[in-house]
Amino acid sequence: MKKILVIHGPNLNLLGKREPQIYGKTTLAQINQGLEKLARKNKVKLTIKQSNHEGEIVDLIGKTKNKYDGILINPAAYTHTSVAIRDAILAAGVLTVEVHLSNIYSREEFRHKSLISPVAKGTILGFGPKSYLLGLEALLDLMNVS
Ligand code: DQA
């Protein structure tokens, strides 16, 4: 069975309560339920983690080599700052899809740059919680399991 690691970055534990005008009212638990449902349908195993700590995310990515077939990541604020997460993805060499709830290009200028996009296979953004489902579908497709 193929294995995918889902990583939610900082403050995504607050989804539902956090700036709902931008991120909506869906909670992280609800997003995870949707992902689990899609994973079950396609018979892949998901491991889902949320962390507010850059180093912890680096460690999680570092452990994926030869253990996971794909990574679905919303690096959240670290998208715009983290050379360390970018390097971890490069070092792991595991197929990675980046997702964002909001369209970072229609927001403040400091969000317009993603350090992660150049090392991800692709990026899906702007569709709210659906970005995650589309991201997982893209991974399944790339892994030939959908
Ligand atoms: C985000 C966009 C980031 O700019 C922001 O820091 C987040 C969430 C998104 O999913 O839209 O925390 O990654």
Side-chain angles (χ1 to χ4, degrees), residues 10 12 18 23 74-77 79-80 99-102 104 107 111:
L12 294 173
R18 172 194 184 203
Y23 298 115
N74 182 348
T79 305
H80 319 295
V99 299
H100 299 284
L101 295 144
S102 65
I104 57 177
R107 300 183 61 197
R111 296 185 203 275

Side-chain angles (χ1 to χ4, degrees), residues 2 20 34 79 128 130:
K2 300 268 189 193
T79 305
K130 183 92 195 189

Side-chain angles (χ1 to χ4, degrees), residues 18-71:
R18 172 194 184 203
E19 299 180 272
Q21 69 286 1
I22 295 172
Y23 298 115
K25 291 202 170 144
T26 308
T27 64
L28 193 61
Q30 289 167 330
I31 288 176
N32 290 340
Q33 275 166 22
L35 288 172
E36 290 284 14
K37 193 171 161 197
L38 184 58
R40 270 197 305 277
K41 204 173 114 190
N42 288 282
K43 299 187 172 53
V44 297
K45 182 171 164 23
L46 290 191
T47 303
I48 303 180
K49 305 278 186 189
Q50 188 278 326
S51 177
N52 294 328
H53 305 278
E54 185 176 19
E56 204 174 317
I57 295 172
V58 169
D59 285 344
L60 283 169
I61 295 168
K63 287 179 194 144
T64 56
K65 201 179 167 95
N66 302 323
K67 292 221 174 69
Y68 285 87
D69 303 288
I71 300 171

Side-chain angles (χ1 to χ4, degrees), residues 77-145:
Y78 290 138
T79 305
H80 319 295
T81 62
S82 184
V83 176
I85 291 176
R86 174 194 174 112
D87 286 352
I89 292 169
L90 280 174
V94 174
L95 182 65
T96 297
V97 170
E98 175 193 11
V99 299
H100 299 284
L101 295 144
S102 65
N103 179 348
I104 57 177
Y105 301 105
S106 66
R107 300 183 61 197
E108 303 96 321
E109 205 169 328
F110 66 85
R111 296 185 203 275
H112 294 183
K113 178 139 188 90
S114 168
L115 298 187
I116 309 305
S117 294
V119 300
K121 178 75 182 170
T123 302
I124 294 175
L125 55 95
F127 302 106
K130 183 92 195 189
S131 292
Y132 280 95
L133 294 174
L134 293 170
L136 181 55
E137 273 179 19
L139 265 182
L140 295 172
D141 212 56
L142 291 161
M143 292 172 1
N144 292 316
V145 291

